Amino acid sequence: MPVILVSSDNQDFKVDKEVAERSILIKNMLEDVGESDSPIPLPNVTAAVLTKVIEYCEHHRNDPVQVPEETDDPRKRSNDIEEWDMKFMQVDQEMLFEIILAANYLDIKPLLDVGCKTVANIIKGKTPEEIRKAFNIVNDFTPEEEAQIKKENEWAEDR
Amino acid sequence: MADSFKDTKGKDTKGKDTKGKDTKDAKDIKKSLSDMPAEVLIQIGLALPCRDFGRFLQTNRSIHSCLDSHYVWHQRFTTRFGQAILKDKLNPPLSNNDPSKLTPSSAHPSPRFPSSSSQIFHSSSNNNSNNNSANTSPTLQQQQQFDDQVDPVSAAPSPLPSPASSPRMTPSTAPLMPSDSSSDDGNGGEGSSSSRAKRPPKVKPRRIDLRKTNMVSKEMLIDMYKQLSRMTLPAEDMMIAHMGNQFWRMITSTESKYGKLAELASVWWMDVVAVFVGVPPGRYKVQWRLKVTSDAPVVNTEFRAVLFDKHEDQSTAVEKKSALTFRPMSKQEFVAQTDSPGNRVNKKPFRNLFKGFTILELPGELHVEVDYQNVFLQIRNHDDWKSGLYIDYVRLVNLDDPEQSQESLSNGLHGKRVAAGNEPVDDEGEEYYPSSSSSSSSGPLPWFKQVLGINPDAGIDTQHRFRSRATRQFHPVNPSDLLDVEKGESSAEKSESSAEKSQLSAEKGESPSTARNKSNELEEHRKPVERPDAWYRLLTFLFIYCLYICFWK
């Protein structure tokens, strides 16, 4: 049964219910709406981003749904990303952030995990200054604060 | 009205302009990672390894305040080390809350295997960290004012509770009780500061409740994390059988950056255990920093590594299959795995193969896959007496980390072997003949050389090696010379004796001229410092060298 999703720029997307319900937010909305065919508005997600999200959900439509109690599985906590997901996430930084925000809004945990791991992999191996440069982060510490925080976290350098 | 319409129209256009600006600004704002929602930043922070997490905290104020929280540290802790370690801290107290029962006895240490539910940490959490003690103790004291459970006695900064020679990893005797939030006694955290014999018995243990999310519990979590996440374990934190008595002892030493060494006096049952908890996935090399003065403690000794899952019982380590094992059956085999040059292993005394401490790197790699695991390292030899071993530390070198992998001997083998602090013995191919540069001005050897006129650096001249005895010249060794009598006196004595001899010969009827000739001959014979026979020199020098080793070393 198809479900109609409407992006913030008023573009309609017809997807299967099974695919749409990968998003817990949409799943809850559909449960509230019942058998009605009314489109579901998503004001925080643009068409371009929604396209990518739907693509992800389509590819992972048969994956088992993650239950919170099963997060002790080490494979789920691994930082390894599947090859398809890695290629999927090879987008510019702006789109990457948009996908992460959309996954957070729509409550699609696997997509959020993949997005966060992708960002973490970019951060790995960089100094604080390089991280700021890569992600356009403003250094709002005073020099004294910066020195103190650096000293407090010195122990982590060889752990 | 028209004006107002115009105004509104203007406002509308301004509104549209501002809206455009807003979207543009919003886009600009969203581009920065620091403006992501907190839950997203937390997810990113939890996905980062320890070092990168520390660096990420330093980037921005909002990121720091979001990630340097009790919740995040608790999540990181349990992800890496498991929840079981915190069990003692999160459960309500025992009915018989006797600290002495919870502290292990230091009188008779024996090999103990840490259970995942029972690691007892000294509760002066901030004082565990050398770095932060100065900065956080005032903050701690302020926080403690809001904590009902603070014992005013323990509010004073307590001395650094470095682990004793037998680390405090004993099975907990506490029965598991369900946590009761209503009875908030705050005794979920047990921290005994009275486990060491040196501490005054009157100090009450500080009680920190990890169920409370405050500065104090967060600092304690961080300190516990620091303690458990170490990739280098000093000898003090190892579990050594028979430590503390006449077999093994901890000594202070400047040769170790930790200030202490485990010294093996003599033991039959040699069993040293070191446990790394929460080792991240990757490939590792195991390195022991040791000083060996005898081959007995290392030859036929097993160096092994065993991997455990977080929830696995480590008491089965003895029987469990080793992930890495190394048992050198000969000196060469042992030396080959160290950073010693390893030249002429059988021709030198074992202690001379290593100038001081050496790094022993176990062959093979330790693979920690997928999830954090515990690494159990052991040195065991239960046969025969052995002595002459000093242990400084053991560490895991991460081969996947470009910064750390250079520490591995396998990555810089030859360079490391030469530059590892073991001076290459420059004896120019002559066994047991130290060069003149190495023994130039110290010790009794130069004195012997001067007195006896021996110059071991001079090679044996092959042309003269087989000279006839008649042509060889020898230096008559006068015992008075060895007693450091002045040569002037001895030569005067000799001249007197020669004069006496000439007189005697004169009395016997010999002509003074012949007597004079004889005396001249004698004087010629006494012309100083003519080189002795080579074999005589060799034997004499061997004897002197043995004396040198006995008395000087």
Side-chain angles (χ1 to χ4, degrees), chain B residues 237-257:
Chain B
D237 292 341
M238 297 179 194
M239 290 168 280
I240 301 177
H242 303 299
M243 170 57 77
N245 47 28
Q246 70 267 32
F247 305 113
W248 280 93
R249 47 183 175 255
M250 291 301 298
I251 56 170
T252 53
S253 170
T254 52
E255 289 179 290
S256 166
K257 64 178 179 181

Side-chain angles (χ1 to χ4, degrees), chain A residues 44 72-80 93-94 96-98 100-101 104 109 112-113 115-117 119-121 123-132 135-142 145-146 148-159, chain B residues 27-28 30-37 39-40 43-44 46-52 54-64 68 73 78-80 131-132 135-136 222 225-232 280 310-311 370-372 401 403-404:
Chain A
N44 288 354
D72 279 347
D73 187 356
R75 281 167 295 180
K76 289 176 184 167
R77 276 194 273 112
S78 164
N79 283 337
D80 295 335
Q93 201 178 93
E94 189 181 343
L96 175 62
F97 285 179
E98 294 286 341
I100 290 173
L101 289 170
N104 186 46
K109 196 170 182 320
L112 181 62
D113 281 348
C116 291
K117 283 176 188 172
V119 172
N121 286 339
I123 291 174
K124 279 179 196 173
K126 290 187 166 65
T127 62
E129 191 52 46
E130 287 167 352
I131 297 171
R132 288 188 197 112
F135 294 106
N136 197 26
I137 298 172
V138 174
N139 181 11
D140 51 3
F141 287 124
T142 62
E145 283 173 338
E146 195 174 346
Q148 188 191 348
I149 290 170
K150 185 178 178 183
K151 194 181 172 189
E152 282 177 6
N153 292 289
E154 241 171 14
W155 63 270
E157 284 295 314
D158 55 351
R159 304 298 167 97
Chain B
K27 280 185 184 176
D28 288 339
K30 279 182 183 174
K31 280 183 186 172
S32 173
L33 189 62
S34 56
D35 295 319
M36 285 287 203
E39 57 269 26
V40 172
Q43 281 286 101
I44 294 170
L46 292 177
L48 286 171
C50 193
R51 179 196 301 166
D52 301 297
R55 291 176 180 178
F56 192 42
L57 285 180
Q58 300 172 42
T59 51
N60 179 274
R61 206 185 281 266
S62 61
I63 290 172
H64 184 269
D68 191 32
W73 279 108
T78 52
T79 302
R80 183 162 180 174
N131 294 330
N132 294 337
N135 291 333
T136 56
I222 294 172
Y225 191 103
K226 274 187 217 175
Q227 188 76 357
L228 292 174
S229 62
R230 293 177 298 172
M231 286 286 112
T232 305
K310 273 200 290 289
H311 308 294
V370 183
D371 194 16
Y372 295 98
D401 180 3
E403 293 179 21
Q404 266 196 33

Side-chain angles (χ1 to χ4, degrees), chain B residues 402-448:
Chain B
E403 293 179 21
Q404 266 196 33
S405 62
Q406 293 172 11
E407 299 290 324
S408 169
L409 296 186
S410 58
N411 283 341
L413 193 59
H414 299 293
K416 284 281 182 185
R417 281 190 164 182
V418 171
N422 297 329
E423 337 172 324
V425 177
D426 183 17
D427 58 5
E428 298 176 346
E430 296 188 80
E431 301 305 324
Y432 299 108
Y433 275 54
S435 64
S436 59
S437 60
S438 63
S439 59
S440 53
S441 58
S442 60
L445 191 59
W447 184 83
F448 282 111

Side-chain angles (χ1 to χ4, degrees), chain B residues 55-130:
Chain B
R55 291 176 180 178
F56 192 42
L57 285 180
Q58 300 172 42
T59 51
N60 179 274
R61 206 185 281 266
S62 61
I63 290 172
H64 184 269
S65 63
C66 178
L67 294 183
D68 191 32
S69 66
H70 185 283
Y71 170 75
V72 172
W73 279 108
H74 187 271
Q75 284 292 101
R76 290 190 67 87
F77 191 99
T78 52
T79 302
R80 183 162 180 174
F81 307 114
Q83 182 82 353
I85 289 177
L86 293 177
K87 209 180 283 182
D88 294 337
K89 308 292 179 193
L90 294 172
N91 284 335
L94 304 171
S95 54
N96 297 326
N97 192 12
D98 184 2
S100 62
K101 283 186 184 176
L102 295 175
T103 59
S105 67
S106 58
H108 300 287
S110 58
R112 298 191 191 280
F113 303 107
S115 71
S116 56
S117 62
S118 64
Q119 293 194 9
I120 295 174
F121 289 91
H122 299 285
S123 63
S124 49
S125 56
N126 286 316
N127 292 332
N128 271 342
S129 147
N130 293 327

